[in-house]
Every structure is written in structure tokens, then in C-alpha cells.
Amino acid sequence: MKAVIYNEYGGPEVLHVAEIAKPKPSDNEVLIRISAAEVTKGDCELRSFEFPVKWFSFGLRLVFGVFRPRKKILGGYFSGTVEEIGARVNKFSPGDEVFGASSLKLGAYAQYLALPEKYTIVHKPSNLSFEQAAAAPLGGLNALHFMRLADIQPGETLLVNGAGGSIGTFAVQIAKCMGAEVTAVDAAIKERMLLDIGADHFIDYGKQDFRKSGRRYDVIFDMVASSPLDESIAVLSSAGRYVTANPTFKKMLGAKKTYKKTGKKVIFAFAAEREDELQALKAMLEEERISPAVDRIFPMEQVVEAHRCVEAEQRLGIIVLKID
Ligand SMILES: NC(=O)c1ccc[n+]([C@@H]2O[C@H](COP(=O)([O-])OP(=O)(O)OC[C@H]3O[C@@H](n4cnc5c(N)ncnc54)[C@H](OP(=O)(O)O)[C@@H]3O)[C@@H](O)[C@H]2O)c1
């Protein structure tokens, strides 16, 4: 089968298409013929081994390879069709169209992927193309998880910092479904797209620091590792929550102290990417309450350009690799 592989950490050019052995599903696995995979910021971070939060790197090096990548195929989020099932699989049948997450196993930049049936895989939303479906699990699962942790109530004000990326575009839409008034913060080129997907207000971070605008928010959902905690806490309302997908040590250590001093919560977590949350996401997609903000679709052979596009941050939403 064809797969995009990489044998060393580095720039996008370390990625190339190669012919490798097709996986065989074991008794508890499904073999999925991959149609599309999202090209995520996380894939770029694993490829270059540079992370915005430095403490991530140590543990990840042990899992992913100290000197060179042990897992040579990136792609943690996919859509495709079940081709074969192991003897003990009963959740899926050959021909089922699915979408999901391969988590730290990765491997979706390939024509086939074998995964245990208990992984976060469910039937694909019937109204989405394969490319749209592949763009949903990362952003959708993370956004849903964090928006539920924030316990957003109708009428509350939410600011999403880094709203134009994979997680942010879903967070804007899910928070709107929960009844929040949403302010999206990102680069100027993303203003139209963010207003189109439902944001009520937009702040261009290149022109204005939301922490100095004089406005207060009930919830801040922060995708930007480097943003300062104390200044963000200062613009939260009295029962406000600061939610971060990218917790630095300083923010984790400061969480308790902040709560004691101000009564405002600092919430950080790794989204577990659970099957029940993917089912909930699927329902929201099928009811057309939310939709993946796909910007561009690249063929597998243009994976280097796809990674450059994600890293250059000139994209308006999500980038997808078409495999099939
Ligand atoms: N906790 C978890 O479980 C978990 C799970 C998945 C991902 N993550 C992490 O969460 C982060 C966000 O993920 P993602 O996939 O949504 O990333 P993404 O697609 O790259 O989105 C990040 C967005 O933030 C914008 N941005 C950059 N600097 C900014 C600033 N100073 N102010 C406001 N916006 C800014 C970027 O735009 P421009 O650069 O164009 O300005 C981009 O639109 C990643 O670092 C990822 O590793 C955490």
C-alpha cells in the first residue's frame, strides 16, 4: 500500500510517499481503507519535534523515538471504509463508512490502517463527505470536551483565543449551540470565516490585545500556549473559567493559587477522545448544528505542501489530506 512516511525529524520535506506492507487486522481489529486524514498542528509538531509546551517533549520522545521517529506514519484523525474485520469484532462490518481517531497510534496518512474496534471509531455522519468527516474528530472532540468542562450556560460570554484553527472553529460553533455569546480572536485573514461560522465578535490579535479591551468574559478558551495567565484571569467575570488546551507548567501550578485568590477556575485537561463524545459530535453534525470548516484538500502526493500550509498559518480552517 501507499503511505506517507518520515524517517527523521525535521521540516515538511522529510515526508514522502512510499510503498509499504498493508497491515493485517488481528482478531480484535478492523482494517480501514482510509479516504482522508486531517493534517493537524499536532502532526506538524510531531514531525519537527517542536512543541509550544516544552514539557510535552520529554515523555513524547520516549514514546515516539528519541533520535528518529519510531511511528513512521502520521495522521491521528481519519475517515474511511471498513474493508476487513478480525474474528472477534462485532461493532463493524465490511463496507461500513467510519470516522474517528487513532490516537497516539497514528497511521492515517496511509491507504490502510488496522485499529482495535474499541478505539474511538464510529459510523461516519451520513451528510458529510469523507474529506469533511476526516476534519471533524480532532477539533470536534477537543472542543466538545473543553466546552463541556467549562459548563457554559446560555447567555454567558466566551472568548476563544486561537479560534481559527482545528479546535477553535469547532469551539466557536459548539459554544454557540450551548447559547454563548462568542468572541473569536485570531489573525485578521480569518475574520470573515469566523463570523460566517457563527462568532458574534472578532478581535484581530495583531491589532488588539483582548486583555486590554476593557471587556469581561465568563469563559476564556485559550489555544495559545504563550498567552499570559494573570492578565487573562483579570478579564474574567467573578465566576469566570479559564480553559486551556495547551497548559504550561506555570499555568498548571498557578491554577490552585488563582482559584484561592480570585475564585476563578483554571481548567486544563487532555481531551480523552471518547466514543460517546464522538457519537454526540456525529449527532450535531447530522443535525447540521455544526459543520467542519474545511479550507483546502491536498492529494496524498502533496503532503509536503499540506504541512507547509498548516505551519504557515495562512489557512482559513482545516487542512485535509485525500488518501483514496
Ligand atoms: N489538550 C489537548 O488534549 C490537546 C489536543 C489537541 C491539541 N492540543 C494543542 O492545542 C493547540 C491548538 O490546537 P489546534 O489543532 O486548534 O491548532 P491550530 O489549528 O494551529 O489553531 C491555533 C490557532 O491559533 C492562532 N494563533 C496563533 N497565535 C495566536 C495568538 N497569539 N493569539 C491568537 N491566536 C493565535 C493560529 O493562527 P495564526 O498562527 O495564523 O495567527 C491558529 O488559527 C495546539 O498547540 C495543540 O498541540 C491540545
Side-chain angles (χ1 to χ4, degrees), residues 200-270:
D200 299 289
H201 315 281
F202 176 81
I203 296 175
D204 167 7
Y205 76 80
K207 281 211 183 112
Q208 195 190 353
D209 182 347
F210 72 86
R211 302 162 198 93
K212 294 182 181 143
S213 70
R215 271 205 70 183
R216 285 185 173 258
Y217 301 93
D218 298 309
V219 178
I220 293 174
F221 182 31
D222 204 344
M223 246 62 64
V224 182
S226 58
S227 52
L229 179 62
D230 290 346
E231 287 91 325
S232 303
I233 296 293
V235 294
L236 280 177
S237 62
S238 55
R241 288 87 78 202
Y242 175 84
V243 186
T244 173
N246 244 335
T248 55
F249 254 136
K250 202 170 161 204
K251 284 182 187 168
M252 291 194 290
L253 294 174
K256 225 177 184 169
K257 205 169 107 200
T258 302
Y259 185 64
K260 259 188 167 170
K261 213 165 99 185
T262 64
K264 300 171 188 178
K265 284 188 187 154
V266 177
I267 300 171
F268 53 86
F270 289 100

